[in-house]
Amino acid sequence: MGSTRGSASVASILLVLGVLGVVVAGVTVWPLVAASGQRQVAERRATATVVEPRPCGARAAGDVVEVQIDGQTRRATFDGCGHTRGQRLDVMVPARASGNLRVTPVKTQQTELEALAWRTHIVLITLAAVAGGGYGILLGRR
């Protein structure tokens, strides 16, 4: 009778661990699924030249730069200040540049969606390792 009771407790433990694994995976993946539906602003990389530097301060609107877009030189406001005249900067330009153009520095860090995907991968790999280790322990008891 001890053998039957042990099998029942192992089955219930595996069921609880399985449900817990599904819940953890769901909670981890849900923000990734929700964020993937958000509209991303299309940008492209370009090189800009500072033509009118502005000092940094509370009222600074940003340096004025010239950037080549589709073969045309356009003036834009750079999301930054304190650069020197003639300095070349790597910038991100909106794909559909119209009206008052504002450019931003090149992004070197991950986007929020990429960071969320990385976190999801780490959690799921950890969950798989824990499940594999638990299964190994169960096989070792036999």
Side-chain angles (χ1 to χ4, degrees), residues 18-43:
V19 170
L20 182 64
V22 170
V23 168
V24 168
V27 167
T28 305
V29 173
W30 179 253
L32 183 63
V33 172
S36 67
Q38 294 176 354
R39 187 173 155 256
Q40 299 292 323
V41 177
E43 294 179 315

Side-chain angles (χ1 to χ4, degrees), residues 43 48-55 59-69 73-83 89-94 97-106:
E43 294 179 315
T49 305
V50 178
V51 293
E52 187 180 323
R54 299 211 174 127
R59 298 181 54 160
D63 295 340
V64 176
V65 297
E66 283 185 346
V67 63
Q68 288 277 5
I69 302 172
T73 302
R74 296 209 31 207
R75 283 196 173 212
T77 304
F78 179 67
D79 190 18
C81 59
H83 296 90
L89 306 168
D90 289 329
V91 296
M92 297 301 287
V93 180
S98 62
N100 291 335
L101 186 60
R102 185 164 189 88
V103 295
T104 58
V106 171

Side-chain angles (χ1 to χ4, degrees), residues 88-125:
R88 297 176 65 81
L89 306 168
D90 289 329
V91 296
M92 297 301 287
V93 180
R96 296 178 187 228
S98 62
N100 291 335
L101 186 60
R102 185 164 189 88
V103 295
T104 58
V106 171
K107 296 170 182 68
T108 57
Q109 57 197 33
Q110 294 180 328
T111 64
E112 186 176 333
L113 187 60
E114 290 170 339
L116 207 52
W118 177 253
R119 186 182 77 179
T120 302
H121 291 144
I122 294 300
V123 169
L124 292 177
I125 287 171

